[in-house]
Amino acid sequence: MDSLSQIVLGGAIGNAVAGKKIKNRAVIYGAIAGTIPDLDILATFFTDNLSALEFHRGVTHSIIFAILMSFILGYLVYLLEKKNNFTFEEGYWLVFWGLFTHSLLDVFTTWGTRLLWPFDYPFAFKSIFVIDPLYTVPFLIFLIYSMREKKDMKKRMRLNNWGLFISTSYLAITLLLKAVAFYQFSDALDKEGIKYSSLSVKPTVMNTILWNGIVETNDSFLIGEYSFFDHSPITFREFPKNHDFQRYLENHTLLLRLKKISEGYYTFTEKDDKVYFNDLRFGLLKDGDNEEDVQFAFSYMFYIDDNGELKVEEVEKKRTEGVKLLKRLWKRIQGV
Protein backbone atom coordinates (compact mmCIF):
# COMPACT_ATOMS: atom_id res chain seq x y z
CA MET A 1 0.00 0.00 0.00
CA ASP A 2 0.97 3.66 -0.23
CA SER A 3 3.14 5.28 2.43
CA LEU A 4 0.29 7.20 4.10
CA SER A 5 -1.78 4.04 4.59
CA GLN A 6 1.20 2.23 6.10
CA ILE A 7 1.96 5.15 8.40
CA VAL A 8 -1.64 5.23 9.63
CA LEU A 9 -1.72 1.47 10.14
CA GLY A 10 1.62 1.45 11.96
CA GLY A 11 0.57 4.40 14.10
CA ALA A 12 -2.71 2.71 15.09
CA ILE A 13 -0.85 -0.51 15.93
CA GLY A 14 1.63 1.40 18.09
CA ASN A 15 -1.28 3.16 19.78
CA ALA A 16 -3.00 -0.14 20.48
CA VAL A 17 0.13 -1.71 21.96
CA ALA A 18 1.44 1.17 24.07
CA GLY A 19 -0.83 4.19 23.68
CA LYS A 20 -2.09 3.99 27.25
CA LYS A 21 1.43 4.21 28.63
CA ILE A 22 3.35 6.57 26.32
CA LYS A 23 0.42 8.08 24.41
CA ASN A 24 1.26 9.74 21.08
CA ARG A 25 4.89 8.67 21.16
CA ALA A 26 3.59 5.13 20.68
CA VAL A 27 1.86 6.33 17.50
CA ILE A 28 5.12 7.85 16.25
CA TYR A 29 7.13 4.70 16.95
CA GLY A 30 4.48 2.56 15.27
CA ALA A 31 4.35 4.85 12.24
CA ILE A 32 8.13 4.63 11.86
CA ALA A 33 8.02 0.82 12.12
CA GLY A 34 5.21 0.74 9.57
CA THR A 35 7.35 2.67 7.11
CA ILE A 36 10.61 0.71 7.42
CA PRO A 37 9.76 -2.27 5.12
CA ASP A 38 9.31 0.07 2.15
CA LEU A 39 12.84 1.42 2.55
CA ASP A 40 13.74 -1.34 0.10
CA ILE A 41 12.79 1.17 -2.61
CA LEU A 42 16.14 2.84 -1.90
CA ALA A 43 17.58 0.04 -4.02
CA THR A 44 16.63 2.16 -7.05
CA PHE A 45 19.54 4.47 -6.17
CA PHE A 46 22.08 1.64 -6.22
CA THR A 47 20.93 -0.61 -9.04
CA ASP A 48 18.83 -0.73 -12.19
CA ASN A 49 15.01 -0.60 -12.19
CA LEU A 50 14.60 -4.29 -12.95
CA SER A 51 16.81 -5.39 -10.06
CA ALA A 52 15.03 -2.95 -7.75
CA LEU A 53 11.67 -4.47 -8.76
CA GLU A 54 12.97 -7.94 -7.96
CA PHE A 55 14.20 -6.76 -4.55
CA HIS A 56 10.99 -4.92 -3.63
CA ARG A 57 8.68 -6.65 -1.15
CA GLY A 58 11.27 -9.28 -0.45
CA VAL A 59 13.49 -9.57 2.61
CA THR A 60 12.26 -6.37 4.31
CA HIS A 61 8.65 -7.60 4.06
CA SER A 62 9.35 -11.06 5.45
CA ILE A 63 8.42 -12.59 8.78
CA ILE A 64 12.11 -13.23 9.47
CA PHE A 65 12.92 -9.55 9.02
CA ALA A 66 10.10 -8.53 11.40
CA ILE A 67 11.25 -11.00 14.06
CA LEU A 68 14.93 -10.05 13.96
CA MET A 69 14.61 -6.30 13.38
CA SER A 70 12.18 -6.04 16.30
CA PHE A 71 14.95 -7.04 18.72
CA ILE A 72 17.09 -4.12 17.58
CA LEU A 73 14.43 -1.44 17.17
CA GLY A 74 12.42 -2.70 20.14
CA TYR A 75 15.48 -2.30 22.34
CA LEU A 76 16.00 1.22 21.02
CA VAL A 77 12.40 2.15 21.90
CA TYR A 78 12.94 0.59 25.33
CA LEU A 79 16.02 2.76 25.93
CA LEU A 80 14.08 5.88 24.96
CA GLU A 81 11.07 5.06 27.13
CA LYS A 82 12.33 3.01 30.08
CA LYS A 83 12.01 6.06 32.32
CA ASN A 84 8.25 5.68 31.77
CA ASN A 85 8.28 2.06 33.04
CA PHE A 86 8.27 0.87 29.44
CA THR A 87 9.60 -2.67 29.08
CA PHE A 88 11.72 -4.25 26.37
CA GLU A 89 8.90 -6.73 25.74
CA GLU A 90 6.50 -3.87 25.01
CA GLY A 91 9.05 -2.27 22.70
CA TYR A 92 9.57 -5.54 20.86
CA TRP A 93 5.87 -6.15 20.21
CA LEU A 94 5.22 -2.53 19.23
CA VAL A 95 7.89 -2.75 16.52
CA PHE A 96 7.06 -6.32 15.47
CA TRP A 97 3.38 -5.64 14.85
CA GLY A 98 4.23 -2.37 13.10
CA LEU A 99 6.55 -4.23 10.71
CA PHE A 100 4.45 -7.35 10.24
CA THR A 101 1.08 -5.65 9.67
CA HIS A 102 2.75 -3.60 6.94
CA SER A 103 3.49 -6.84 5.08
CA LEU A 104 0.05 -8.29 5.81
CA LEU A 105 -1.60 -5.21 4.30
CA ASP A 106 0.59 -5.47 1.21
CA VAL A 107 -0.63 -9.06 0.71
CA PHE A 108 -4.04 -7.66 -0.26
CA THR A 109 -2.53 -5.70 -3.18
CA THR A 110 -1.60 -6.85 -6.68
CA TRP A 111 2.17 -6.83 -6.49
CA GLY A 112 2.71 -9.79 -4.19
CA THR A 113 4.64 -9.97 -0.92
CA ARG A 114 7.24 -12.60 -0.07
CA LEU A 115 6.27 -13.14 3.55
CA LEU A 116 8.20 -16.40 3.72
CA TRP A 117 11.44 -15.08 2.24
CA PRO A 118 13.96 -16.62 1.50
CA PHE A 119 11.33 -18.87 -0.09
CA ASP A 120 10.54 -17.08 -3.33
CA TYR A 121 6.74 -17.20 -3.28
CA PRO A 122 4.73 -13.95 -3.48
CA PHE A 123 1.41 -13.85 -1.61
CA ALA A 124 -1.14 -11.58 -3.30
CA PHE A 125 -4.91 -11.47 -2.73
CA LYS A 126 -5.23 -8.72 -5.38
CA SER A 127 -8.33 -7.26 -3.76
CA ILE A 128 -7.27 -3.65 -3.19
CA PHE A 129 -5.34 -1.07 -5.20
CA VAL A 130 -2.14 0.30 -3.64
CA ILE A 131 -3.95 3.62 -3.03
CA ASP A 132 -7.53 3.40 -1.77
CA PRO A 133 -9.09 6.41 0.02
CA LEU A 134 -11.92 4.27 1.43
CA TYR A 135 -9.34 2.32 3.39
CA THR A 136 -7.08 5.18 4.44
CA VAL A 137 -9.28 8.23 5.10
CA PRO A 138 -11.69 6.79 7.73
CA PHE A 139 -8.74 5.06 9.40
CA LEU A 140 -6.81 8.35 9.55
CA ILE A 141 -9.76 10.25 11.01
CA PHE A 142 -10.20 7.79 13.88
CA LEU A 143 -6.45 7.79 14.58
CA ILE A 144 -6.33 11.60 14.74
CA TYR A 145 -9.28 11.76 17.13
CA SER A 146 -7.68 9.05 19.24
CA MET A 147 -4.41 10.99 19.43
CA ARG A 148 -6.26 14.09 20.59
CA GLU A 149 -7.67 12.22 23.57
CA LYS A 150 -4.96 12.37 26.25
CA LYS A 151 -6.93 11.92 29.48
CA ASP A 152 -9.70 9.41 28.91
CA MET A 153 -7.69 6.32 27.94
CA LYS A 154 -10.78 4.18 27.44
CA LYS A 155 -12.12 6.63 24.88
CA ARG A 156 -8.69 6.89 23.26
CA MET A 157 -8.45 3.12 22.81
CA ARG A 158 -12.07 2.88 21.68
CA LEU A 159 -11.49 5.41 18.89
CA ASN A 160 -8.27 3.66 17.87
CA ASN A 161 -9.95 0.27 17.87
CA TRP A 162 -12.78 1.57 15.73
CA GLY A 163 -10.25 2.69 13.15
CA LEU A 164 -8.62 -0.73 13.17
CA PHE A 165 -11.98 -2.48 12.98
CA ILE A 166 -13.36 -0.39 10.09
CA SER A 167 -10.16 -0.63 8.02
CA THR A 168 -9.87 -4.37 8.59
CA SER A 169 -13.55 -4.87 7.78
CA TYR A 170 -13.06 -2.98 4.53
CA LEU A 171 -10.23 -5.34 3.59
CA ALA A 172 -12.58 -8.28 4.21
CA ILE A 173 -15.26 -6.63 2.06
CA THR A 174 -12.76 -6.23 -0.80
CA LEU A 175 -12.33 -10.01 -0.83
CA LEU A 176 -16.09 -10.43 -1.12
CA LEU A 177 -16.29 -7.84 -3.91
CA LYS A 178 -13.49 -9.60 -5.75
CA ALA A 179 -15.35 -12.90 -5.50
CA VAL A 180 -18.43 -11.30 -7.08
CA ALA A 181 -16.34 -9.70 -9.84
CA PHE A 182 -14.57 -13.01 -10.48
CA TYR A 183 -17.92 -14.73 -10.91
CA GLN A 184 -19.08 -12.04 -13.36
CA PHE A 185 -15.96 -12.47 -15.49
CA SER A 186 -16.09 -16.27 -15.47
CA ASP A 187 -19.81 -16.20 -16.29
CA ALA A 188 -19.20 -13.84 -19.23
CA LEU A 189 -16.47 -16.14 -20.55
CA ASP A 190 -18.74 -19.18 -20.27
CA LYS A 191 -21.57 -17.40 -22.10
CA GLU A 192 -19.23 -16.50 -24.95
CA GLY A 193 -17.84 -20.03 -25.03
CA ILE A 194 -14.28 -18.84 -24.52
CA LYS A 195 -11.84 -21.52 -23.43
CA TYR A 196 -9.15 -20.20 -21.14
CA SER A 197 -6.37 -21.48 -18.90
CA SER A 198 -6.34 -18.75 -16.24
CA LEU A 199 -8.28 -15.72 -15.04
CA SER A 200 -6.81 -12.95 -12.88
CA VAL A 201 -9.14 -10.34 -11.36
CA LYS A 202 -8.05 -7.15 -9.59
CA PRO A 203 -9.43 -3.68 -8.81
CA THR A 204 -8.61 -0.66 -10.93
CA VAL A 205 -7.08 2.59 -9.67
CA MET A 206 -8.21 3.80 -6.21
CA ASN A 207 -11.54 1.95 -6.06
CA THR A 208 -13.20 -1.43 -5.58
CA ILE A 209 -16.16 -0.78 -7.89
CA LEU A 210 -14.45 -1.20 -11.27
CA TRP A 211 -12.53 -4.44 -11.72
CA ASN A 212 -10.08 -5.61 -14.35
CA GLY A 213 -10.00 -9.18 -15.67
CA ILE A 214 -7.03 -10.71 -17.49
CA VAL A 215 -7.78 -13.97 -19.28
CA GLU A 216 -5.16 -16.28 -20.73
CA THR A 217 -5.94 -18.39 -23.78
CA ASN A 218 -3.62 -20.47 -25.96
CA ASP A 219 -2.38 -17.67 -28.18
CA SER A 220 -3.47 -14.45 -26.52
CA PHE A 221 -4.62 -12.58 -23.45
CA LEU A 222 -8.07 -11.05 -23.16
CA ILE A 223 -8.58 -7.97 -20.99
CA GLY A 224 -12.00 -6.80 -19.83
CA GLU A 225 -13.58 -4.53 -17.23
CA TYR A 226 -16.56 -4.96 -14.95
CA SER A 227 -18.23 -2.25 -12.88
CA PHE A 228 -20.88 -2.96 -10.27
CA PHE A 229 -22.88 -0.23 -12.04
CA ASP A 230 -22.69 -1.92 -15.45
CA HIS A 231 -25.90 -2.51 -17.40
CA SER A 232 -24.31 -4.25 -20.39
CA PRO A 233 -22.36 -7.49 -20.81
CA ILE A 234 -18.61 -7.63 -20.26
CA THR A 235 -16.56 -7.31 -23.43
CA PHE A 236 -12.97 -8.41 -23.86
CA ARG A 237 -10.15 -6.99 -25.92
CA GLU A 238 -7.62 -9.42 -27.34
CA PHE A 239 -3.85 -8.98 -27.15
CA PRO A 240 -1.78 -11.61 -28.98
CA LYS A 241 0.99 -13.14 -26.87
CA ASN A 242 3.51 -12.96 -29.73
CA HIS A 243 5.70 -15.30 -27.73
CA ASP A 244 7.52 -16.23 -30.95
CA PHE A 245 9.74 -13.22 -30.23
CA GLN A 246 11.28 -15.28 -27.42
CA ARG A 247 13.24 -17.35 -29.91
CA TYR A 248 15.27 -14.28 -30.83
CA LEU A 249 16.15 -13.72 -27.18
CA GLU A 250 17.24 -17.34 -26.67
CA ASN A 251 16.06 -17.51 -23.07
CA HIS A 252 18.39 -14.68 -22.09
CA THR A 253 18.67 -14.04 -18.34
CA LEU A 254 16.86 -10.71 -18.72
CA LEU A 255 13.92 -12.44 -20.39
CA LEU A 256 13.71 -15.07 -17.66
CA ARG A 257 13.73 -12.35 -14.99
CA LEU A 258 10.98 -10.38 -16.72
CA LYS A 259 8.82 -13.49 -17.14
CA LYS A 260 9.19 -14.24 -13.43
CA ILE A 261 8.27 -10.70 -12.40
CA SER A 262 5.18 -10.73 -14.64
CA GLU A 263 4.05 -14.07 -13.21
CA GLY A 264 3.45 -15.31 -16.76
CA TYR A 265 1.09 -12.47 -17.76
CA TYR A 266 3.08 -10.91 -20.58
CA THR A 267 3.05 -10.20 -24.30
CA PHE A 268 5.58 -9.01 -26.85
CA THR A 269 5.01 -6.17 -29.27
CA GLU A 270 7.13 -4.66 -32.00
CA LYS A 271 7.25 -0.98 -32.84
CA ASP A 272 9.73 0.90 -35.00
CA ASP A 273 11.89 -2.25 -35.24
CA LYS A 274 12.12 -2.46 -31.45
CA VAL A 275 10.80 -5.30 -29.31
CA TYR A 276 8.84 -4.59 -26.13
CA PHE A 277 7.98 -6.84 -23.19
CA ASN A 278 4.59 -5.91 -21.68
CA ASP A 279 3.69 -6.85 -18.12
CA LEU A 280 -0.10 -7.17 -18.21
CA ARG A 281 -0.80 -7.41 -14.49
CA PHE A 282 -1.37 -3.68 -14.04
CA GLY A 283 -3.44 -3.17 -17.16
CA LEU A 284 -3.34 -0.41 -19.73
CA LEU A 285 -1.98 3.07 -19.18
CA LYS A 286 -2.98 4.24 -22.65
CA ASP A 287 -5.77 2.71 -24.71
CA GLY A 288 -6.58 3.07 -28.38
CA ASP A 289 -8.10 1.34 -31.36
CA ASN A 290 -4.73 0.68 -32.98
CA GLU A 291 -1.86 -1.31 -31.50
CA GLU A 292 0.33 1.76 -31.97
CA ASP A 293 -1.86 3.70 -29.53
CA VAL A 294 -1.72 1.08 -26.76
CA GLN A 295 0.67 1.34 -23.82
CA PHE A 296 0.67 -0.95 -20.81
CA ALA A 297 1.41 0.39 -17.35
CA PHE A 298 4.66 -1.58 -17.30
CA SER A 299 6.55 -2.15 -20.56
CA TYR A 300 10.22 -2.77 -21.19
CA MET A 301 12.16 -2.12 -24.39
CA PHE A 302 15.00 -4.44 -25.35
CA TYR A 303 18.15 -2.80 -26.75
CA ILE A 304 21.85 -3.48 -27.30
CA ASP A 305 24.24 -1.29 -25.31
CA ASP A 306 27.63 0.03 -26.42
CA ASN A 307 29.31 -3.17 -25.23
CA GLY A 308 27.06 -5.33 -27.36
CA GLU A 309 25.08 -6.65 -24.37
CA LEU A 310 21.31 -7.08 -24.30
CA LYS A 311 19.60 -4.64 -21.90
CA VAL A 312 16.07 -3.56 -21.06
CA GLU A 313 14.72 -0.10 -20.33
CA GLU A 314 11.35 0.63 -18.78
CA VAL A 315 9.12 2.65 -21.08
CA GLU A 316 8.54 6.14 -19.70
CA LYS A 317 5.11 6.92 -18.28
CA LYS A 318 3.75 10.35 -19.14
CA ARG A 319 1.76 12.15 -16.44
CA THR A 320 -0.74 13.36 -19.04
CA GLU A 321 -1.57 9.75 -19.89
CA GLY A 322 -2.17 9.04 -16.21
CA VAL A 323 -4.64 11.92 -15.99
CA LYS A 324 -6.47 10.68 -19.09
CA LEU A 325 -6.60 7.19 -17.58
CA LEU A 326 -8.17 8.47 -14.36
CA LYS A 327 -10.81 10.38 -16.33
CA ARG A 328 -11.63 7.32 -18.41
CA LEU A 329 -11.86 5.07 -15.36
CA TRP A 330 -14.11 7.57 -13.57
CA LYS A 331 -16.60 7.33 -16.44
CA ARG A 332 -16.21 3.58 -16.61
CA ILE A 333 -16.87 3.19 -12.89
CA GLN A 334 -20.30 4.71 -13.51
CA GLY A 335 -21.06 1.97 -16.00
CA VAL A 336 -20.49 4.16 -19.08
Side-chain angles (χ1 to χ4, degrees):
M1 291 291 284
D2 64 290
S3 297
L4 178 59
S5 299
Q6 296 291 8
I7 288 172
V8 173
L9 174 59
I13 292 296
N15 201 16
V17 173
K20 288 183 179 179
K21 182 172 289 189
I22 57 175
K23 299 182 175 61
N24 287 346
R25 293 194 302 282
V27 177
I28 294 173
Y29 297 139
I32 293 172
T35 303
I36 287 174
D38 276 345
L39 292 180
D40 59 5
I41 63 173
L42 295 177
T44 56
F45 295 104
F46 305 100
T47 186
D48 59 275
N49 286 342
L50 183 57
S51 298
L53 283 174
E54 293 172 321
F55 184 68
H56 185 48
R57 293 196 180 178
V59 57
T60 61
H61 288 69
S62 66
I63 296 174
I64 291 177
F65 180 84
I67 292 172
L68 297 180
M69 186 58 67
S70 297
F71 282 105
I72 300 172
L73 298 181
Y75 185 70
L76 179 59
V77 174
Y78 160 69
L79 291 179
L80 292 172
E81 297 294 340
K82 63 180 181 180
K83 60 182 179 295
N84 298 309
N85 296 320
F86 196 75
T87 66
F88 168 71
E89 182 179 2
E90 289 172 319
Y92 178 90
W93 288 116
L94 188 158
V95 173
F96 174 82
W97 288 114
L99 295 171
F100 188 52
T101 54
H102 175 119
S103 302
L104 289 179
L105 179 56
D106 278 346
V107 166
F108 285 82
T109 65
T110 300
W111 195 266
T113 305
R114 284 167 283 174
L115 284 175
L116 300 182
W117 183 94
F119 297 103
D120 194 14
Y121 180 83
F123 293 87
F125 293 157
K126 302 181 182 180
S127 66
I128 190 171
F129 191 73
V130 291
I131 301 174
D132 192 324
L134 284 180
Y135 174 84
T136 308
V137 173
F139 201 179
L140 177 61
I141 291 172
F142 276 104
L143 179 61
I144 290 174
Y145 274 106
S146 175
M147 293 175 67
R148 294 179 62 183
E149 186 55 66
K150 299 180 181 179
K151 294 183 179 180
D152 189 340
M153 289 299 101
K154 287 186 177 180
K155 183 178 180 181
R156 178 189 179 96
M157 291 299 103
R158 184 166 63 250
L159 289 167
N160 191 70
N161 290 340
W162 267 109
L164 287 167
F165 174 76
I166 291 173
S167 59
T168 303
S169 297
Y170 180 66
L171 288 177
I173 290 172
T174 65
L175 294 174
L176 177 62
L177 295 175
K178 175 175 178 172
V180 175
F182 188 94
Y183 169 78
Q184 294 294 336
F185 280 111
S186 60
D187 184 57
L189 290 166
D190 291 340
K191 288 180 179 178
E192 291 188 31
I194 298 174
K195 295 182 179 180
Y196 59 98
S197 56
S198 67
L199 169 61
S200 176
V201 175
K202 61 179 182 60
T204 56
V205 180
M206 294 192 294
N207 78 98
T208 49
I209 298 174
L210 178 63
W211 293 75
N212 178 268
I214 305 176
V215 184
E216 182 177 8
T217 66
N218 286 333
D219 302 316
S220 62
F221 285 96
L222 309 177
I223 297 181
E225 292 173 341
Y226 167 73
S227 170
F228 285 101
F229 297 129
D230 275 348
H231 299 289
S232 55
I234 297 173
T235 58
F236 295 95
R237 181 168 180 179
E238 184 175 12
F239 296 91
K241 290 181 177 179
N242 292 327
H243 285 184
D244 288 345
F245 280 106
Q246 294 183 87
R247 71 176 182 270
Y248 300 114
L249 300 171
E250 298 178 347
N251 278 329
H252 191 281
T253 302
L254 282 176
L255 174 60
L256 297 177
R257 291 165 65 191
L258 285 169
K259 289 166 67 174
K260 184 177 180 181
I261 288 174
S262 69
E263 299 176 358
Y265 288 92
Y266 66 93
T267 65
F268 289 93
T269 52
E270 185 179 16
K271 182 179 179 181
D272 298 328
D273 296 324
K274 295 178 181 178
V275 177
Y276 295 84
F277 179 99
N278 307 302
D279 186 339
L280 307 188
R281 293 174 303 152
F282 302 94
L284 294 168
L285 175 63
K286 179 182 177 183
D287 201 354
D289 296 329
N290 301 317
E291 189 174 293
E292 296 281 329
D293 298 325
V294 171
Q295 181 182 344
F296 289 90
F298 284 90
S299 288
Y300 303 86
M301 180 187 72
F302 291 97
Y303 70 97
I304 304 296
D305 69 6
D306 295 335
N307 297 319
E309 295 184 7
L310 183 67
K311 300 288 185 180
V312 291
E313 179 180 61
E314 185 178 345
V315 176
E316 181 183 359
K317 303 178 184 67
K318 296 181 180 179
R319 181 172 296 183
T320 54
E321 297 300 338
V323 173
K324 291 179 182 177
L325 174 65
L326 290 175
K327 290 180 179 178
R328 184 188 73 80
L329 290 179
W330 174 244
K331 291 182 179 179
R332 188 64 189 82
I333 285 172
Q334 302 171 62
V336 178

